[in-house]
Structures are given as C-alpha cells and as structure tokens.
Amino acid sequence: MATAEPDWVRCERCAALVYGKRYARALRVCPECGAHGRLTARQRLDLLLDPGSCKPLAAERGERPAEHDPLDFTDTRPYAERLREARAATGLDEAVVCVRGTIEELPVVVAAMDFRFLGGSLGLGVGSQITRAARASLRRRVPLLLVTASGGARMQEGALSLMQMARTAQALTELDEAGVLVVSVVTDPTYGGVAASYATLADVILAEPGARLGFAGPRVIQQTTGERLPEGFQTAEFLFAHGLIDDVVPRAALRPTVARLLRLRSGGGAAAGRGPGVGAGASRPSAERPRPATVPRGPAVPIVRTADELPERDAWETVRLARHPLRPTAADYAAHLLQDFHELHGDRLAADCPAVIGGPGLLHGSPVMLIGHHKGGPGLEERRRRHFGMATPAGYRKAARLMRTAAKLGMPVVTLIDTPGANPGPEAETGGQALAIAENLRLMARLPVPVVAVITGEGGSGGALAFAVADRVLVSANGIYSVISPEGCAAILWKDAAAAPAAAAALRLHARDLLRLGIVDGVVPEPPDGAHGDHAHAAALVGGALSAALDELRPWAPDRLLAERRDRFHRFGRLEEEAAP
C-alpha cells in the first residue's frame, strides 16, 4: 500500500517544515538536520533492489498466512482485532516482507521489517517469515539482507513470541555453518527480541544515522535503575563508538554499500567455494566508496627466499628504517591495493580499537579479509590516537571477529603487521590483553582458509605474533621481528639503554637473519629508498608478494592448510633435535 507524502512535513527532530515532494526525493531525510524518517518495508525494497527484480518469497508457498491468536489474548481489545486492523492499514500480512531480488545485479534474499505493523513486534508470524527467508538464502546459497525496525516482542503471543528469538538465531546459525553471508541494516528503532537475535547476529551490522538499537528502551532503563543515561545513548553513533556495529551509513549510500559487500562474496574465484569456517579505530563513520586499487596486477613480484640473496645490513639502521614515521600504514596499503575495501569496526563487545583496522576487499580481483596495525600518520597527535599501532584487547578481539567471518565465507586472511608490541598500559591488562592475544594464537592455528602475514615495519613481541600465525610469514626488506625491542633488551641485559644498537645486532631481528633462522618464509623487496619514500611502489611489491603466496595456497584443502600450518610452527621446537647426530 503506497503512502503519499503530505504537502508539508514537520521534522520530528528539529521541527523544520519541509515540502513533501522534496522530503520524498530526499528519501525522507530532513535536509535541515539529517534526521532519517521511517520508511515502510515496500519503500525499503524500492530503495535497495534493482527495479523489476523483487519477487515475494510468500508467492512460492502460494498462500496467505492465517490469522493466529494462540493465547486468545485480550487487553483493551482482542488481539485478533488488532491483527486484522494492522493488516488492513498496511496492506501487509505481517511486520516483515521477505523477497528475493538483486542489488546491482547481485542476487540477495531480503527481509525488511515495517514498524507500522504493530510496532514491528516479533511474534510467530515474523519468526516464521525470517526463518523462511533464511532457508531461501540457504537453499540458493545467496546472501541474506535483514532490515530491522521493531519495538520488541509481541506481548499478545506470550512466551511463544519469546521462542522466536531462539528460532531465528538457529536459522542464522545454519547460514553460518553453510558459509552464507548475512548483512543487517539497523533502522530506527530496533529493540527487544529483534535486537537480541537476528539483528545483531549478522556478519556485518550497518545502521542508519540516529537509529536506536538495544534490548531495553531508555525509558525502561531509567525507570528501573534511576540512572541518567549518557548523551546519544543507544544511537547508531554511540554504538559505533563502543564497537558494537560496523558502520553508520546514510540512507542514500545504503544500496552501493550493501552491493559492495555482496560483490565481495560473489566475486570470489577459488575462495568463494570453500566450506564453512570455525563458527560463529575508531575512525569517523564513512559511507563513501573507497578509492579503487591503484596498483593493477602485473608480473609476479619475486619473494626473496634465501638469506644469501640479501645484502648484509646494519641492524640498528634497519630498526630506524622499520620505525620511520612515513612508512605506509595498513590503511595506506588498503587504499593502494584493495578494490571495494570496506573497513569494519568494533569487537561487538565494548570498543573499537583505533590501532587495528580491518575489512574485506578485492586484491587483484579476489576477495581477502585484510587486518593490520595502524600507527597513524606522521603527526604526533594522530599517532597517539592510534596508540602508535599497539592494539588494545578490543583490537585483538576485533581481529578475531574478522578472521571468523573470513573463515565462514571462505575468504583468505591477510595481516599487515607494524607494531612496537603489546600495549603496556594498565587498561590493556585489566581488559584481558594476555587472554586476547592467546585466543588469537589459538584461533589462527585453526582457521580453515589461507593466511598470509607480512611484517611491513615493526614486528614487536606478542603484539605482532597475535596476527602472525600464518601459512606464509613474509617480512619487508626493512622490517624487523623480535621478542623484545632493542631498548628493552639493552635495559634488562646490558643495564644500559644506550646499548640498544648492540642488542639489535644480538637479537638477529632483521630480514636476512629472520630468513636464515626460518622465522619468515620470504622477504618482500622495498623501493630503493625504502617503503617510506614511495608508497605506491611499496604497495605494488607487497601486493605482488601477497598474490604469489595466495596463488600457491588457494588450491589447498583446509586439512592440508591446518596440517602444514601446525608443522610450520612445531618445527621451531625440533630444530636442535633434528640437527643432533
């Protein structure tokens, strides 16, 4: 049922009067304050899907769902009467519309909720429709897109409505096991059982600006606890800052953003057919299309694999080059190398670490999940904001989340390592830093997809190793990798920080010695003056090395990947034993 705009619309946030036709052209976004007004489910589908591609899933079953009142519930009015009225007013059978279609010619199953229908409440009908959509997605092996809007559970259906949380969560678990991508778009409001089930179980969670998401509403929280809530509590921006959603995307950018994510899954070559995985900072929210890769794939870049091919280097000079403030960051490499890169945010628990960035993108046409340290630009303020590339516990948890998503989707993992080491702050310790690092080591050992790590600058202690349990570990020619910094080693063993150059030499931390010791599998050449002097050239060299390594690993079955990764790290404990007569 089409909803005509009145001649004039008053914005609910800023009270500005907007000409109705202008408001409709702006997709019901206030031109004065940017407030996103509600859309119907049909308007959502028109916004997202290619014209003419929308086909209702209900048509496959051939029948309209019957009215149901399982509790024979009556408050001030019988529930059956409320249900009939909602159907007449909206022209919908339930509070969700499930269809299949295409977005920029990419197939997708969509479940779009409509708040007009009994507040988008979750009951038997919605649970059935979401489950049906998930099964259609599973049957066709195409991504599922969920657009949520709900005030909570449907009280008139009692505990049966509560059971829909578990029912829909189980349906999404089946998609996890099958390696089918799920994307959620949170719109205002999304509360209660929907927020605590399928809305937040997606691989990628996007939200419109200002959209509210939570289990209990703010009024209930304030009445129950008596506490004053922080400014912007439960809004998309608040959730983004606290690591609970991946991005805040303006309505006009939703379609290309979702298409970019769908394309990563469907354009995947060898990676796309891999089986199920291992189960299921804070930069400014941005929906701009990332810059396309500026480095086309050329001839394979040679990876230096024997130490004798590398020149002798002064260890301390290598340390200084590895730490050069102008060396490219993971964000620089992503901008140069990856097409359709979309940075994902947050550990889905408490925070979004600015020292770690990550997200999917296309490397020379094939999807990868990139995860890397970000030291920040040359300015001191930005480097401090990025914690100088030292991850917080949330950074390791964010990386782990992205690795699990990559495993689910059969997408190789690429890590770019450049960190002085683990974060020395007390907050990192109280936040469980040691546990977070240990969990990453265990997770990476069992990822059933190819994993390639490149130490592009500093590889400091456990902070580096947490990203480096890989099938192939490479190091840039001016990179370093060590159990401790030269300064730390000098202070402890030499009792003199000035002995750092001697400690650097003794630690054998530069590329030639790392290759000779078997710590790394190869060395990536750098531009003549170093990576800091020519980011594009450095990116081309790293990209060529990554592609060469991935081309070797992609044909391997998961069992071979896991066995050889295990043997790679087990051999470090057998070196002396094997060398003994």
Side-chain angles (χ1 to χ4, degrees):
M1 180 179 294
T3 303
E5 293 290 355
D7 290 340
W8 292 92
V9 177
R10 184 179 296 277
C11 174
E12 294 184 2
R13 180 195 291 173
C14 70
L17 279 175
V18 184
Y19 185 49
K21 290 183 178 179
R22 182 187 180 194
Y23 191 54
R25 287 195 300 270
L27 305 177
R28 295 181 59 82
V29 176
C30 175
E32 300 297 326
C33 71
H36 282 50
R38 288 179 186 152
L39 296 180
T40 69
R42 294 296 178 189
Q43 288 169 331
R44 289 281 175 193
L45 297 174
D46 289 343
L47 170 69
L48 292 167
L49 293 176
D50 296 336
S53 71
C54 182
K55 300 186 185 308
L57 293 182
E60 298 175 354
R61 300 284 175 159
E63 61 181 10
R64 178 188 178 99
E67 290 182 8
H68 53 273
D69 183 6
L71 306 186
D72 194 21
F73 190 96
T74 299
D75 43 36
T76 59
R77 296 166 59 197
Y79 170 50
E81 182 181 316
R82 291 185 185 274
L83 198 59
R84 288 193 295 271
E85 183 180 273
R87 287 179 171 172
T90 63
L92 303 178
D93 295 329
E94 254 300 348
V96 64
V97 177
C98 299
V99 304
R100 56 190 175 92
T102 60
I103 299 176
E104 295 188 7
E105 301 183 355
L106 300 165
V108 66
V109 172
V110 186
M113 300 192 71
D114 197 314
F115 195 80
R116 298 174 303 155
F117 195 108
L118 297 179
S121 50
L122 173 61
L124 284 163
V126 171
S128 295
Q129 294 281 37
I130 295 294
T131 301
R132 176 183 295 179
R135 288 178 177 166
S137 178
L138 179 64
R139 188 166 59 251
R140 292 178 170 82
R141 289 298 196 273
V142 301
L144 174 64
L145 174 62
L146 302 164
V147 184
T148 63
S150 176
R154 191 166 298 178
M155 294 175 287
Q156 296 92 335
E157 296 184 12
L160 289 170
S161 115
L162 184 67
M163 295 302 106
Q164 304 314 303
M165 294 171 62
R167 183 185 185 191
T168 55
Q170 181 175 315
L172 264 63
T173 299
E174 293 174 1
L175 295 181
D176 285 341
E177 293 170 348
V180 177
L181 175 68
V182 181
V183 178
S184 173
V185 175
V186 175
T187 76
D188 187 62
T190 296
Y191 280 117
V194 172
S197 58
Y198 54 90
T200 52
L201 288 176
D203 301 301
V204 179
I205 303 176
L206 309 175
E208 287 190 330
R212 293 166 294 170
L213 170 72
F215 189 61
R219 184 173 61 182
V220 172
I221 295 172
Q222 287 181 319
Q223 290 175 347
T224 303
T225 66
E227 296 181 11
R228 184 174 180 176
L229 300 177
E231 185 71 23
F233 182 69
Q234 292 184 327
T235 63
E237 294 76 12
F238 183 92
L239 298 168
F240 179 85
H242 288 78
L244 298 174
I245 64 174
D246 286 296
D247 212 347
V248 182
V249 183
R251 184 169 291 163
L254 277 174
R255 176 178 157 87
T257 299
V258 172
R260 184 160 63 245
L261 294 168
L262 301 184
R263 190 173 295 111
L264 288 167
R265 180 58 186 140
S266 62
R274 199 174 291 274
V278 292
S283 61
R284 186 174 53 194
S286 172
E288 299 100 23
R289 192 173 184 85
R291 286 183 290 167
T294 59
V295 182
R297 181 165 186 173
V301 174
I303 301 173
V304 179
R305 299 187 184 274
T306 59
D308 291 342
E309 297 180 59
L310 296 170
E312 292 280 358
R313 302 290 296 271
D314 177 76
W316 187 241
E317 179 60 23
T318 302
V319 171
R320 294 176 62 185
L321 287 171
R323 295 173 175 174
H324 197 291
L326 296 180
R327 284 184 78 83
T329 66
D332 294 322
Y333 283 113
H336 282 292
L337 285 177
L338 299 187
Q339 184 181 11
D340 286 342
F341 175 67
H342 191 103
E343 184 179 356
L344 304 180
H345 294 267
D347 64 351
R348 298 273 177 93
L349 182 63
D352 182 36
C353 174
V356 175
I357 70 165
L362 297 173
L363 174 65
H364 300 142
S366 295
V368 299
M369 182 69 76
L370 181 141
I371 301 165
H373 295 101
H374 194 333
K375 283 186 172 180
L380 183 58
E381 182 178 347
E382 170 65 4
R383 291 170 76 82
R384 282 176 175 163
R385 189 178 77 81
R386 297 282 183 178
H387 304 156
F388 298 93
M390 293 182 289
T392 64
Y396 300 115
R397 290 192 291 263
K398 174 167 65 173
R401 177 173 77 85
L402 299 183
M403 291 177 196
R404 291 190 185 98
T405 298
K408 168 184 169 176
L409 300 177
M411 187 182 297
V413 172
V414 169
T415 65
L416 303 179
I417 297 163
D418 187 11
T419 180
N423 196 308
E427 291 184 358
E429 291 302 310
T430 57
Q433 175 169 251
L435 176 61
I437 291 173
E439 290 288 356
N440 273 24
L441 302 182
R442 177 167 64 182
L443 171 65
M444 294 189 78
R446 299 299 301 164
L447 288 176
V449 293
V451 184
V452 179
V454 183
I455 302 159
T456 61
E458 284 188 275
S461 72
L465 183 62
F467 289 5
V469 181
D471 303 297
R472 294 290 181 268
V473 180
L474 308 176
V475 63
S476 292
N478 292 319
I480 60 174
Y481 196 13
S482 178
V483 67
I484 192 172
S485 70
E487 294 88 346
C489 180
I492 294 171
L493 299 182
W494 273 262
K495 312 299 183 186
D496 181 5
L507 286 168
R508 308 292 185 187
L509 44 64
H510 56 78
R512 181 184 173 94
D513 280 335
L514 294 171
L515 188 55
R516 183 179 59 80
L517 291 169
I519 302 297
V520 301
D521 302 293
V523 176
V524 182
E526 292 193 24
D529 294 329
H532 60 278
D534 189 337
H535 287 195
H537 189 188
L541 294 167
V542 169
L546 285 171
S547 289
L550 290 171
D551 286 347
E552 178 187 356
L553 295 168
R554 277 195 181 95
W556 293 10
D559 287 348
R560 182 180 177 187
L561 286 168
L562 296 179
E564 298 214 14
R565 194 180 306 150
R566 177 199 62 209
D567 290 345
R568 183 189 188 282
F569 287 91
H570 269 269
R571 74 168 182 256
F572 294 123
R574 297 199 301 260
L575 287 175
E576 291 186 6
E577 176 184 325
E578 291 172 352

